[in-house]
Amino acid sequence: MDLADDALRDRARRAGIAPEWTDVTGQTRAVARETLERLLALIGADGESAAVPPLVTGVTGQSIPLPPAAGTGAAALVFDSGERIDITVYPGDDGRCWVPPIDRPGYHRLRLRDREITLAVAPPRCFGLDEVAHGGRMWGLAAQIYGLRRPGDGGIGDSRGIAALARAAGRAGADALALSPTHALFTAEPERFGPYSPSSRLFLNPLLADPATLFGPGRVAAAIRAAGVAEAMRRCETPALVDWPEAARAKLALFRALFDGFDAETGGLAQDFEDFVQSGGALLQDHARFEALQAARLAADPADRDWRRWPTALHDPAGAAVAAFAAAHEGEIRFHLFLQWLTDRAFAAAQAEARSAGLRIGLIADLAVGMDATGSHAWSRPSDVLGGASIGSPPDAFNADGQNWTLAAISPRAMVETGFAPFLDTLRATLRHAGGIRIDHVMGLARLWLVPDGMAPTEGAYLAYPAEDLLRLVALESHRHRAVVIGEDLGTLPWGFAGRLADHAVAGMRVLLFEREDDGFKPAELWDAGAVAMSSTHDLPPVAGWWRGTDIEARAELGQYADGGAAEMAQRESDRSQMWQAVGAGPVPEDTGPVVDAALRFVARGPSRLALIPLEDALGLEQQPNLPGTIDEYPNWRRRLDRPAGEALTEPAVAARLAAIRRERQR
């Protein structure tokens, strides 16, 4: 290795790019020179940020360090309540300046001689499951929103389906309902329906909203007739799979019929809409402009789906060309503002219903790890985003070639230089109508595997993020929203990161299929008490499907096994015996019913403050919502329940299963 390589690796380290990584076998791998050069170019200025950032995080009761450039001496501290006190910023032995301990959590303003800094002072830990459980053990369900069938939903599960399921879960004694992501997708491209590839995480997917929440069933029925979509909506409701394009066309036509003439209205709804638009500010306006602009571009040229292909003048949301478009299409932009308002109010009502049904946590929202580089956020705030690279994962035991998730990441430099605005906006949007949050790929708070465009997933590198700052902000927002925090920590964590999550009361996830010891499955009593216990996830087969091997059959049908899945089935046979030894007794049954019953009781038996049961397991279903590594080959994110969500839990076998879970959790 020559001096130039040494210098490049040093630059990479200073910028937060790891020039080497450890693979699944424990071997250290060097990152390619081209990868380092390209990521350095994307980060800019070697990742260096302003000498004194606009926001500094701290912890209540502890002194807060500031960069040396902040200066020492007399200062004023203005609490977020408006109260002002005089303090002294003092020099430390380490060359930094120090703010005396502050006991009040909040976003306070520190006024120095020539500058003002926001001090985000967080409690030491998140608002945790213990604060809700009060020493007890809770349980809940996890559901895919689009699959929640109800009469009149037009073929896509929605907020009213959520409310119906929440009421049924409340009657069964549940405390939480964890949901698939509700992030905004692409209204003009309903075929892009993957919930973890959003256009923006700052806004909502209107296809998941029940408009009757605001307008009542009578007005909605009239709008359906006016739009002429009654037959199309009925046709979409019947199949076992969501037909996203057709159902979306019908539902958007309904929304347009409701919107027609709405601007001429006065009174409570009209004023509420104007208040919502006003409070949404520039971010909301830019999202609505993107939605309208993308639809117009696609109408002119179906290949024009990526804003980076648009004329350069349209790349600037604050530019003259976009302003001219907005002026000429004011009504269309108002329509997209209307959609966000309607959806926001629908989800507010769903959370209120969940809490009134007795769910102590209520809804748990899901925060995707990134966003689509062709979407609203990347267009409206390009400086927030690391364009030119995608989030993925290095090779591991499950993916020998690594993965490229084709998701854009927020720039860590942009976070620091903007006072963490992109992160805080995203966090607050997700928590807005929820009693909890699940952070997908929570390791991303510390580092992300980034793959430069055009390179293989194996040619990526880890980019560091300011984990301690982000965890403090999560804790502060968690308390402000009184929301619990779950971190999806399935995978390779940075060294020591699991302990940091536990210290901040971010609950990890422990999944039955992964909780194993050398001689079989780990006893439930030995599961991590600080994590959420789960029987499965949306990326894994439900217990019944795992038992039967339906996941292996699906992959075999897609040609993913050289031997047709024979070796996998043989291993599964051995695993079945081990699972049954852990959760049941007697001979291994052929019927999945007893296995599901025993497995869910087993998961519920553990010490965790919260157990989450996927709805597929509660109902004893076999097919998983998503088969990782597939796109169109498998019906990902399309499966619907075979009965209305409000009735799904009343079938005798299901009701008995949930009653057994409740008894286990109450012991």
Side-chain angles (χ1 to χ4, degrees):
M1 187 174 297
D2 58 26
L3 292 177
D5 283 338
D6 286 343
L8 177 64
R9 292 161 68 83
D10 286 342
R11 284 182 60 212
R13 288 191 185 94
R14 290 196 302 272
I17 305 167
E20 59 272 320
W21 57 282
T22 303
D23 68 16
V24 69
T25 68
Q27 182 178 347
T28 300
R29 301 286 191 90
V31 175
R33 180 183 183 89
E34 181 184 356
T35 299
L36 298 179
E37 290 174 339
R38 291 185 58 180
L39 291 179
L40 280 168
L42 293 179
I43 293 171
D46 285 359
E48 295 173 2
S49 59
V52 182
L55 182 147
V56 174
T57 68
V59 178
T60 52
Q62 299 179 14
S63 297
I64 301 172
L66 301 176
T72 59
L77 180 65
V78 182
F79 294 101
D80 54 9
S81 64
E83 180 185 350
R84 179 187 183 280
I85 62 171
D86 294 325
I87 65 169
T88 299
V89 178
Y90 60 91
D93 295 337
D94 56 1
R96 293 183 291 180
C97 310
W98 290 81
V99 178
I102 300 171
D103 290 330
R104 303 186 204 178
Y107 295 92
H108 313 310
R109 288 173 291 151
L110 178 67
R111 291 177 177 169
L112 301 164
R113 289 185 299 276
D114 59 346
R115 71 184 78 237
E116 182 173 289
I117 302 171
T118 297
L119 299 179
V121 184
R125 296 163 57 84
C126 293
F127 181 81
L129 293 168
D130 283 333
E131 278 100 329
V132 184
H134 298 299
R137 295 185 304 160
M138 304 177 291
W139 70 277
L141 298 173
Q144 303 297 311
I145 300 171
Y146 55 83
L148 300 179
R149 190 184 294 271
R150 69 168 179 83
D153 64 16
I156 301 173
D158 60 17
S159 55
R160 201 198 314 182
I162 294 170
L165 181 61
R167 288 192 295 271
R171 289 192 292 271
D175 292 291
L177 179 56
L179 301 174
S180 52
T182 60
H183 305 315
L185 301 179
F186 297 83
T187 305
E189 296 182 276
E191 63 274 13
R192 298 170 71 180
F193 51 79
Y196 290 93
S197 299
S199 172
S200 174
R201 299 177 297 176
L202 304 179
F203 301 102
L204 297 167
N205 181 0
L207 297 178
L208 303 178
D210 169 28
T213 301
L214 279 177
F215 293 102
R219 189 164 173 179
V220 169
I224 290 173
R225 291 192 297 271
V229 294
E231 178 55 34
M233 293 182 72
R234 281 194 295 270
R235 187 169 60 249
C236 288
E237 286 181 30
T238 305
L241 300 177
V242 178
D243 184 337
W244 284 98
E246 184 175 0
R249 281 191 291 271
K251 193 157 190 179
L252 289 170
L254 160 62
F255 288 151
R256 286 191 182 277
L258 287 168
F259 177 69
D260 287 344
F262 181 76
D263 271 356
E265 288 194 16
T266 59
L269 283 182
Q271 186 59 54
D272 187 57
F273 172 59
E274 296 301 336
D275 292 343
F276 174 81
V277 171
Q278 183 69 26
S279 65
L283 285 172
L284 175 60
Q285 289 288 343
D286 284 345
H287 177 71
R289 288 184 176 193
F290 174 85
E291 289 276 81
L293 187 52
Q294 192 199 32
R297 298 300 304 179
L298 283 170
D301 181 356
D304 226 359
R305 60 192 293 270
D306 186 340
W307 63 266
R308 295 169 296 187
R309 286 171 42 95
W310 299 350
T312 304
L314 294 177
H315 291 188
D316 181 6
V322 174
F325 173 87
H329 298 82
E330 183 180 358
E332 188 68 8
I333 291 168
R334 292 277 289 179
F335 173 64
H336 289 287
L337 296 172
F338 171 85
L339 291 183
Q340 287 302 312
W341 166 67
L342 183 156
T343 311
D344 179 86
R345 298 316 191 233
F347 275 95
Q351 168 65 353
E353 288 250 24
R355 295 300 297 271
S356 66
L359 278 67
R360 284 184 279 179
I361 295 174
L363 306 181
I364 298 176
D366 201 337
L367 174 58
V369 67
M371 75 286 288
D372 196 303
T374 67
S376 161
H377 191 142
W379 174 79
S380 61
R381 296 293 185 275
S383 60
D384 288 354
V385 177
L386 279 176
S390 298
I391 305 171
S393 65
D396 58 26
F398 299 100
N399 296 278
D401 297 325
Q403 297 181 72
N404 185 334
W405 301 333
T406 65
L407 294 173
I410 294 177
S411 162
R413 181 183 178 202
M415 285 190 190
V416 174
E417 292 186 348
T418 62
F420 293 88
F423 181 75
L424 285 171
D425 289 340
T426 301
L427 199 57
R428 290 165 180 165
T430 310
L431 285 168
R432 182 171 167 86
H433 302 306
I437 184 173
R438 172 193 177 273
I439 302 177
D440 191 42
H441 195 71
V442 73
M443 298 81 85
L445 297 180
R447 69 181 187 185
L448 285 174
W449 182 260
L450 292 183
V451 182
D453 290 352
M455 299 184 75
T458 54
E459 299 175 296
Y462 280 116
L463 174 65
Y465 279 73
E468 201 58 35
D469 291 316
L470 299 182
L471 285 168
R472 288 171 181 169
L473 293 172
V474 168
L476 181 51
E477 291 297 324
S478 166
H479 278 271
R480 289 165 72 90
H481 290 84
R482 296 188 66 77
V484 301
V485 181
I486 301 168
E488 188 270 298
D489 58 349
L490 307 177
T492 304
L493 273 70
W495 187 87
F497 190 60
R500 295 171 77 180
L501 292 177
D503 290 343
H504 285 83
V506 175
M509 292 168 49
R510 299 297 175 264
V511 181
L512 173 60
L513 297 183
F514 297 152
E515 289 299 293
R516 305 200 190 193
E517 297 177 323
D518 293 339
D519 56 350
F521 286 81
K522 184 185 294 186
E525 293 79 6
L526 301 182
W527 284 26
D528 182 358
V532 174
M534 301 186 69
S535 54
S536 189
T537 76
H538 59 254
D539 286 334
L540 296 171
V543 171
W546 182 87
W547 191 260
R548 285 206 190 279
T550 54
D551 57 318
I552 299 173
E553 293 173 356
R555 292 189 181 279
E557 289 176 5
L558 297 175
Q560 295 186 0
Y561 300 119
D563 63 353
E568 290 287 331
M569 278 296 193
Q571 180 61 51
R572 185 65 55 86
E573 183 66 27
S574 172
D575 291 344
R576 287 172 66 193
S577 295
Q578 289 184 349
M579 177 180 283
W580 190 244
Q581 290 174 18
V583 307
V588 175
E590 291 300 318
D591 181 18
T592 61
V595 178
V596 174
D597 293 342
L600 299 193
R601 289 196 303 270
F602 177 84
V603 171
R605 198 176 304 147
S608 172
R609 286 282 177 254
L610 177 64
L612 281 177
I613 307 300
L615 192 56
E616 292 81 8
D617 277 337
L619 302 181
L621 305 180
E622 294 188 12
Q623 302 295 338
Q624 61 201 81
N626 179 55
L627 189 66
T630 65
I631 301 176
D632 299 325
E633 312 95 303
Y634 185 87
N636 296 323
W637 317 120
R638 295 183 61 199
R639 297 188 183 279
R640 304 198 77 203
L641 300 183
D642 63 0
R643 70 197 79 177
E647 303 171 10
L649 307 184
T650 60
E651 196 273 326
V654 177
R657 191 171 290 147
L658 299 185
I661 293 171
R662 182 178 184 175
R663 286 194 297 272
E664 289 287 355
R665 299 305 286 170
Q666 289 177 337
R667 287 182 180 176

